[in-house]
Amino acid sequence: MGYVERTLGFSTRHLDDRDIRLVTVIVAGTVRWKRYIDYLIMSLCSEEKVFSNMEPLLLQILRIGFFEILKLNVPAYAVVDENVRLAKVALRPGAGNMVNAILRKLLLLKETDSLPLPNIEGDDRAQARALSIIYSHPVWMVRRWIRFLGKEEALKLMNWNNSDPYFSLRVNTTNGYTRDDLVNRLEDLQVHYEKSIMDEFVRIREGMQAVLQAGLLKEGMCAVQDESAGFVVSVVDPQPGETIMDCCAAPGGKTLFMASRLAGQGKVSALDINKGRLRILMEAAKCHNLDDIITDIHGDLRLYAKESTVKYDKVLLDAPCSGLGVLSKRADLRWNRQFEDLEELVCLQDELLDSASLLVKPGGVLIYSTCSIDHEENENRVTTFVQRHPEFTPQGVHGYVPAEFITDDGFYSSSPTKHSLDGAFAARLVRSMH
């Protein structure tokens, strides 16, 4: 909503649930489809210069209009009318005329089924460029996925990233709630749900506003968390009485879930470099009745690990990563990532793994996880880590997660296209006794 207020200059404070839902869909969808929409806008401008010199607010208004006409079942006349009015009020009458002319051109092309599209031909790079427009993803991602996953799988993945995401709620059993309690509340709120493959989880496609306003999160009945993150906690396998370090803990979904699995016995230390996000984590811990189990530590893992004398039974490093497994939920993320970021992240992941390993007791377990689907950030990091640290041995995750999520190398891996979950990865590394 802050994004709407910043870019379009109108307040969303007084909107009702249905309108907030619509604004959310429009903003997320417009951001997702930006590359495709910009290609069309440019095609419909009288000359390329008109597009390249267009002021940002006018471009945003056009993008919204294009998204509504192409992807939403909004009556065409209403879209044209609303966006022309918006351009006149936010900019000037002339801007409204321009929006009117371009949107009407688009409607005509849509009605005659003659929207311009790039041809998928030429060498790999040219084909990737065309696909990146059609499916609205950065070229580097398209090329990388075609190379590692094959074209068919890459297209499936982009379709998944462009679809409306569902959200999962995890019931908080520490406060004595069961999944049935959560389901009953959702039925009262008339929120459609489906039960997940994981016992504590429920999925919803719509109705998050209703859940928030009914106070289900505030009263500690549930937390918003994807099952892929739940499976990472299953790989950690927290047992009552254990001491666990969560190295990059905020915003704290996995911290809370691990703490709830300790059944009141044991400790989770939540370390994070961001003080504000740690504070939010501890407020959530209070709601979930877990604040006596969780201790927060503000600091940089790389410095903390050097100075700390405390060793833990289990150490989870949920590493900063590209987030390539969660692009359906994070509409803007695809545009904020460059290929160079991957190289920087890989170096950071190695540094953090080295540091996290110092906190593991002899015989203890280090769990490395990401919300990425990229081998470079996942399997390759584990391989090079074990070469640097022969005192650690990878241990298969068999028995911790269902077989369909286990790779040939024994790692946990969820795939958006195979499992209809966020993409995530986790490896268990056991430290030798000596």
Side-chain angles (χ1 to χ4, degrees), residues 69-110:
I69 286 168
L70 295 167
K71 302 290 179 186
L72 291 185
N73 296 323
V74 183
Y77 67 88
V79 175
V80 176
D81 198 43
E82 281 288 314
N83 286 290
V84 168
R85 218 171 60 224
L86 182 57
K88 283 179 175 172
V89 171
L91 289 161
R92 61 196 162 277
N97 298 339
M98 187 174 180
V99 168
N100 185 41
I102 293 177
L103 288 183
R104 287 189 185 284
K105 258 192 212 173
L106 176 72
L107 283 171
L108 196 62
L109 289 174
K110 193 189 171 203

Side-chain angles (χ1 to χ4, degrees), residues 110-121:
K110 193 189 171 203
E111 279 162 19
T112 55
D113 207 12
S114 46
L115 289 168
L117 266 189
N119 292 322
I120 306 167
E121 56 189 23

Side-chain angles (χ1 to χ4, degrees), residues 255 274 331 367:
T255 318
N274 186 318
I367 297 90

Side-chain angles (χ1 to χ4, degrees), residues 284-312:
K286 262 199 185 69
C287 286
H288 283 237
N289 247 333
L290 293 165
D291 46 327
D292 53 342
I293 300 276
I294 299 170
T295 312
D296 59 322
I297 303 167
H298 175 235
D300 183 323
L301 170 64
R302 292 164 293 188
L303 301 174
Y304 178 82
K306 276 183 197 149
E307 292 158 11
S308 173
T309 52
V310 184
K311 304 282 186 240
Y312 297 82

Side-chain angles (χ1 to χ4, degrees), residues 165-231:
Y166 68 83
F167 290 91
S168 299
L169 301 171
R170 177 179 61 77
V171 70
N172 177 22
T173 51
T174 317
N175 280 354
Y177 295 110
T178 64
R179 182 160 72 174
D180 286 344
D181 297 329
L182 177 57
V183 160
N184 291 338
R185 285 296 292 277
L186 292 175
E187 284 174 353
D188 292 344
L189 294 168
Q190 296 181 321
V191 171
H192 295 292
Y193 65 88
E194 53 186 82
K195 290 183 178 177
S196 158
I197 39 176
M198 287 192 90
D199 292 345
E200 300 98 330
F201 288 77
V202 169
R203 291 178 170 198
I204 60 172
R205 274 213 179 271
E206 292 178 11
M208 187 56 89
Q209 283 304 319
V211 169
L212 293 171
Q213 285 175 355
L216 269 57
L217 273 66
K218 269 210 173 76
E219 70 192 48
M221 182 179 229
C222 61
V224 179
Q225 186 167 43
D226 195 79
E227 295 103 309
S228 60
F231 281 130

Side-chain angles (χ1 to χ4, degrees), residues 277-287 291 294-296:
R277 290 176 72 181
L278 265 183
R279 195 168 59 244
I280 294 166
L281 188 160
M282 291 313 289
E283 282 165 14
K286 262 199 185 69
C287 286
D291 46 327
I294 299 170
T295 312
D296 59 322

